[in-house]
Amino acid sequence: MSKTAHLPPAGAILETLPMSVVLLDADGACCYANAAARALASVLHSREADGLRLLLAQAPAQVADDETAGLPAGGCEDRLSCIAEDGRALNIIRQWRRCEQPGLSSVTIRPARGDAAGVGPPNLADRERQALQNESLAHAEKLATVGQLAAGMAHEINNPICYVQSNLGTLQDYMNRLFGLLESSEEIMRDYSASAGQRTAALKARREAADYGVIVEDLPLLLAESREGVERIRQIVQNLRDFSRADSVDGYCLYDLHRAVETTLGIVRSLTGSGIRFDTHFGLLPLIECNPTELNQVLMNILVNASQAVDSRGVVELRTGSGEDRVWIEIRDNGCGIEEAALPHIFEPFFTTKAVGNGTGLGLSITYGFVKKHGGDISVKSRPGEGTAFLISLPVKQPTAAPAAN
C-alpha cells in the first residue's frame, strides 16, 4: 500500500488531521492511510500493513456501481474491538462512506470512549489530548479556507495596488513640473533688468506651460484616492490576519456578533466582487459570551458556501435578532439549494456536495461542532433551485464562562 496512492485533492489536509482516515478501492483494499491511521496501525501490529488489516477487519460490503449494492449512499457506522501489541483492549468506532471519486470508499476511525467493552471514561490527559486534536482539526480547515481565499485576495489586492502605482507615477511627474516651475520663478524674480509687468507675464507663461492649475486641482484627488487604496489593502490584510490567526482566544469573552459578521463579510465581499449582493438586516443585540475566533470561523464557512451556491447575480441575506437570553442569525441565499437526501448528512465530516477537488467536507462539520460547543443550535432548510437558509442560535451567557471585555 502506497501512502500517496489515490491521494485525494484534500490529501495534504488529511495527512495533518488528528483523526484516522483510510481510503479503500472498489475491491476493499487499502490504497491510502493518513499519518494518524498509520500510527494507530503500528499500535496494533509492528508491521503497518498488518495493523491496517486489523483496523479494517470485518469490513462491510464495498462501494458498487449499483447504489442498491455495497455501502448505502449515506454510509454506515460500526464498532470493533482490537487488542494492541501490549495487550490493551482498544475499542474503535468506524464510519464507512462512499467517496466522490468513483471506485473509492473511506473509513474514519476514532476511539470509542466509555462503551460496554470496558474502556472507562476519558481522564484529564485524554480530554486535553482531544481538545488539542479538535483545535488542530479546526485550524487545518481554517488554513484550507484561507488557501482557497488567497487567489481571490491576490486579485482583490492587485486592483488598489495598480491605481496607487499609477497615481505615484503621476505624482512624480507633477513634482518634477512644480520643482521646475519653482526654479524658473526664482530666475525670473532675480532678473532685475525686466520690469515688474514683464516678470509677472513671464511667471504666468511658465505656470501655464507647467499646467499649474491642473496640478492644483488634481493633486488632492490623487492623494485621497491613493490613501483609500492603501487603506483598502490594509483592511483586507487585517481581516485575513484576524481570521487565520492560530492563537485563538482562551475561553470566552464578551463579543459583538455584528462585528463578527462585518469582519467576515469584509473578506467574502472582496472575493465575490460586485456581482453577488449581501443584504444585512441587523436587530438590536447584546454582547454575547463566545470565542470570537471560532465564531468568525462559523460565519466564514457558511458565507463561503452561500457565495459559491449563488450565481454571479445572486443574493445572500443576513438577519439577526434576539429573545429569551439568546441571539440568532439567519443566513439565506437564493442559490442552487441542496438535495433532500443530502440534508441529513451535511454536518458529517468529509461529506460534501461540491465537485471533486472543490471542497474538503470539513467546513460544516466544524461549524456544527463550534455551535454546539457554545451551547447553541444550528438548523438548515433548503430546496433544490430555491436556495438554502441556515439558522444559528447562541446563548447570550455561557454557563461556565468567565467573560472579559473584548
Side-chain angles (χ1 to χ4, degrees), residues 8-127:
I13 296 177
L14 294 180
E15 195 64 20
T16 63
L17 291 182
M19 66 176 61
S20 301
V21 180
V22 180
L23 297 185
L24 310 175
D25 60 23
D27 297 323
C30 176
C31 60
Y32 167 78
N34 71 349
R38 298 194 299 273
L40 180 57
S42 66
V43 172
L44 298 181
H45 200 285
S46 57
R47 292 187 68 251
E48 181 181 295
D50 291 338
L52 286 171
R53 276 193 283 271
L54 290 174
L55 286 175
L56 302 174
Q58 306 169 15
Q62 298 306 307
V63 174
D65 292 334
D66 182 2
E67 290 194 1
T68 61
L71 286 175
C76 61
E77 181 177 293
D78 63 8
R79 290 176 178 242
L80 182 68
S81 296
C82 307
I83 303 297
E85 280 201 310
D86 60 4
R88 289 181 295 121
L90 296 179
N91 300 285
I92 59 176
I93 297 176
R94 305 181 298 181
Q95 289 183 320
W96 306 81
R97 303 187 193 284
R98 298 181 180 186
C99 289
E100 294 176 338
Q101 185 174 338
L104 286 182
S105 57
S106 70
V107 54
T108 304
I109 304 169
R110 69 180 190 273
R113 301 292 187 185
D115 60 7
V119 178
N123 55 31
L124 179 60
D126 290 331
R127 289 195 295 269

Side-chain angles (χ1 to χ4, degrees), residues 161-182:
I161 285 179
C162 284
Y163 68 71
V164 168
Q165 184 178 27
S166 175
N167 288 351
L168 288 176
T170 304
L171 288 171
Q172 183 176 15
D173 178 57
Y174 286 173
M175 182 183 67
N176 293 336
R177 292 192 203 181
L178 290 174
F179 283 160
L181 179 60
L182 182 61

Side-chain angles (χ1 to χ4, degrees), residues 8 20 26 42 46 57 84 111 130 142 190 237 241 252 275 280 296-297 300-301 304-305 334 340 359 378 405:
S20 301
S42 66
S46 57
Q130 185 63 43
K142 186 186 299 182
R190 286 196 300 264
V237 173
R241 289 184 62 186
Y252 300 96
T280 56
N296 287 340
Q297 176 86 48
M300 174 64 74
N301 290 342
V304 167
N305 283 351
N334 63 348
E340 184 177 355
I378 180 170

Side-chain angles (χ1 to χ4, degrees), residues 320-397:
T320 63
S322 62
E324 297 182 359
D325 297 324
R326 297 180 77 84
V327 299
W328 56 266
I329 177 169
E330 182 186 51
I331 302 175
R332 179 184 299 270
D333 67 69
N334 63 348
C336 57
I338 304 172
E339 295 290 340
E340 184 177 355
L343 279 177
H345 308 289
I346 62 172
F347 296 119
E348 297 175 359
F350 306 110
F351 180 85
T352 178
T353 59
K354 299 175 184 177
V356 176
N358 290 338
T360 64
L362 291 172
L364 289 180
S365 174
I366 291 174
T367 295
Y368 182 87
F370 282 163
V371 171
K372 289 299 182 181
K373 175 183 174 182
H374 281 73
D377 295 303
I378 180 170
S379 60
V380 58
K381 295 180 180 179
S382 183
R383 303 187 76 173
E386 298 182 12
T388 302
F390 283 89
L391 180 63
I392 300 172
S393 172
L394 297 170
V396 174
K397 295 183 178 181

